[in-house]
């Protein structure tokens, strides 16, 4: 006769065998859709600008607003999302998050008949869905997998997310180019991706819920842990450093469209999306290299990498001024590759990866292991605040008449200034 403990082990194994692959597929499709729908929205701006329906400044302003909308719910709703995922079954929030994304896509589709405002409303709803989905996709892993598989599982989720981000951005850009005169087709395609993700999550075996969790307690614990981390000079600097990485990533993502059109004279959204691909390839290379060069807790070269990142951003500013950056150009089928710019973007990504990975490892290793989940939640909040600030910076730059190349120079100066502050504050705390 099976004992209660043996039945629990069997039930956990069955949850793992069923839920884990469904989680991976659903997560991939959801992240794919998040990036595809943004590419469809901002891709329309390219053709509006080419047709003279909007100015360059209007393109940049709308691009900044649309891209930033995804980050806002992560900042405003982070404590609530954490509470809901602690209180209720995480499988329910995986499904609920994707249901909100389906609804958001439907609202975006209304823009075909009722104007672009609906795209902003719809994408904001998609952001709310992503905010509620995020804690569930990581928090569910300890509930469906044995402890010894958690590191590999987290790594696989991150890998699939990265592939989905790149693939979604490129596929969404292709949709925006192919169906520029029938945008509703693009929204139907993205909605179908979200529906598929929802169905995979819907078939998962429900995980436990915790009715004793209270909102006030959850928010209070989050705030207390935030204050603990900020009270540590070293961890405070680490959090500032990781947020700086995401400021750069978000600002570059926002700026690639106007820069690609104005400076590189790229013909369509697909070519512009490849700029992000080369940057991401560099980040992956830098991340792998950082793992080979540094032990956990070794931040001895972090400031060097930060100044190098500032230097790379300054070089991106010079692309508009010096013609040697724009030749030779390779044509690989329909793809147009400005070779020096491709190499420069990869090198920029490498320095960014070398900067980020030691900081992430130190934060995870030096935080209280019993509160690591809350630490990651605080880090995510800081990173998303950073991405919102990136949107504010680009928006302010456009209003001040800053060119798309000038955005890179301003970003370079900001990175150098913050890294210098981190260096000086480290010396002060050491004394």
């Amino acid at each position: 006769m099976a004992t209660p403990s043996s039945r629990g082990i069997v039930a956990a194994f069955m949850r793992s065998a069923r839920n884990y692959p469904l989680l991976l597929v659903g997560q991939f499709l959801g992240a794919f859709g998040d990036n595809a729908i943004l590419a469809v929205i901002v891709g329309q701006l390219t053709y509006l600008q080419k047709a003279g329906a909007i100015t360059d400044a209007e393109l940049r302003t709308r691009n900044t607003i649309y891209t930033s909308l995804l980050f806002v719910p992560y900042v405003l709703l982070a404590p609530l999302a954490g509470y809901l995922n602690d209180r209720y079954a995480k499988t329910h929030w995986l499904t609920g998050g994707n249901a909100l994304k389906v609804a958001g896509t439907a609202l975006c589709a209304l823009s075909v008949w009722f104007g672009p405002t609906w795209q902003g409303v719809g994408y904001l709803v998609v952001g709310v869905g992503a905010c509620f989905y995020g804690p569930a996709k990581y928090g569910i892993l300890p509930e469906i997998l044995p402890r010894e598989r958690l590191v590999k599982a987290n790594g696989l989720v991150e890998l699939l997310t990265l592939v989905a981000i790149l693939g979604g951005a490129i596929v969404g850009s292709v949709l925006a180019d192919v169906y520029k005169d029938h945008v509703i087709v693009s929204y139907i395609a993205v909605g179908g991706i979200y529906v598929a993700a929802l169905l995979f999550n819907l078939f998962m075996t429900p995980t436990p819920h915790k009715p004793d969790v209270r909102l006030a307690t959850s928010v209070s614990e989050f705030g207390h842990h935030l204050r603990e981390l900020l009270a540590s000079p070293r961890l405070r600097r680490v959090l500032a450093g990781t947020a700086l990485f995401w400021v750069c990533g978000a600002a570059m993502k926002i700026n690639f469209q106007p820069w690609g059109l104005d400076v590189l004279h790229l013909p369509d959204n697909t070519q512009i999306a490849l700029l992000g691909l080369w940057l991401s390839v560099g980040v992956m290379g830098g991340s792998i290299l950082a793992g080979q060069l540094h032990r956990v807790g070794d931040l001895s070269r972090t400031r060097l990498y930060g100044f190098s990142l500032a230097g790379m951003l300054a070089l991106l500013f010079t692309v508009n001024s010096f013609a040697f950056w724009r030749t030779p150009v390779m044509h690989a089928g329909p793809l147009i590759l400005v070779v020096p710019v491709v190499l420069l973007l990869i090198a920029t990504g490498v320095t960014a990866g070398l900067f980020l990975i030691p900081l992430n490892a130190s934060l995870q290793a030096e935080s209280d292991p019993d509160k690591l989940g809350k630490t990651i939640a605080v880090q995510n909040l800081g990173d998303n605040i950073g991405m919102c600030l990136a949107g504010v910076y680009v928006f302010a730059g456009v209003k001040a008449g800053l060119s798309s190349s000038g955005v890179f120079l301003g970003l370079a100066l900001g990175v150098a200034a913050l890294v210098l502050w981190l260096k000086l504050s480290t010396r002060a705390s050491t004394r």
Side-chain angles (χ1 to χ4, degrees), residues 13-75:
F13 174 78
M14 292 181 67
R15 280 199 302 271
S16 170
R18 178 183 179 87
N19 282 357
Y20 184 49
L22 291 172
L23 171 70
L24 293 178
V25 177
Q27 155 61 17
F28 176 84
L29 291 173
F32 191 98
D34 293 348
N35 290 274
I37 191 170
L38 177 61
V40 168
I41 291 172
V42 301
Q44 296 170 55
L45 302 177
T46 297
Y47 294 103
L48 289 172
Q49 187 251 12
K50 287 179 178 291
I54 60 174
T55 64
D56 292 348
E58 287 174 324
L59 177 143
R60 296 173 66 194
T61 300
R62 292 191 192 182
N63 180 320
T64 303
I65 292 172
Y66 286 138
T67 304
S68 301
L69 285 174
L70 186 71
F71 312 139
V72 173
Y74 282 94
V75 175

Side-chain angles (χ1 to χ4, degrees), residues 94-125:
L94 293 173
T95 305
N98 278 321
L100 285 170
K101 293 178 184 181
V102 172
T105 305
L107 291 173
C108 286
L110 293 178
S111 65
V112 174
W113 300 282
F114 302 111
T117 300
W118 286 99
Q119 289 182 143
V121 174
Y123 193 54
L124 183 62
V125 173

Side-chain angles (χ1 to χ4, degrees), residues 229-241 421-422:
L229 291 174
L230 295 180
S232 166
R234 180 176 167 91
L235 293 181
R236 182 170 64 242
R237 290 192 294 270
V238 169
L239 288 170
W421 171 77
L422 292 173

Side-chain angles (χ1 to χ4, degrees), residues 323-398:
F324 66 80
W325 284 116
R326 298 192 291 279
T327 55
V329 177
M330 291 180 57
H331 294 267
L335 303 182
I336 301 172
L337 306 179
V338 185
V339 177
V341 172
V342 168
L343 296 177
L344 181 55
L345 287 171
I346 292 174
T348 303
V350 169
T351 58
L354 286 168
F355 178 76
L356 175 68
I357 297 306
L359 292 171
N360 273 343
S362 291
L363 181 65
Q364 294 170 16
E366 298 171 26
S367 300
D368 185 342
D370 294 329
K371 299 179 179 179
L372 185 57
K374 290 185 175 62
T375 298
I376 301 302
V378 169
Q379 183 188 20
N380 287 341
L381 177 62
D383 293 348
N384 281 283
I385 290 174
M387 288 186 277
C388 286
L389 290 176
V392 171
Y393 160 65
V394 177
F395 183 85
V398 173

Side-chain angles (χ1 to χ4, degrees), residues 4 38 57 115 139 269 284 298 304 331 349-350 367 429:
L38 177 61
N269 295 296
M284 287 188 284
D298 177 14
L304 172 62
H331 294 267
V350 169
S367 300
S429 63

Side-chain angles (χ1 to χ4, degrees), residues 195-263:
V195 169
L198 186 154
L199 291 175
F200 277 104
N201 294 144
L202 194 61
F203 289 135
M204 295 176 70
T205 303
T207 51
H209 66 285
K210 301 175 182 177
D212 56 327
V213 174
R214 295 291 179 266
L215 176 60
T217 303
S218 179
V219 172
S220 175
E221 290 176 350
F222 181 88
H224 178 70
H225 191 58
L226 171 62
R227 291 190 294 273
E228 282 185 345
L229 291 174
L230 295 180
S232 166
R234 180 176 167 91
L235 293 181
R236 182 170 64 242
R237 290 192 294 270
V238 169
L239 288 170
T242 63
L244 177 62
F245 171 89
W246 290 106
V247 168
C248 292
M252 293 180 75
K253 181 178 181 179
I254 293 169
N255 199 47
F256 273 153
Q257 185 183 35
W259 187 68
L261 291 171
D262 298 341
V263 175

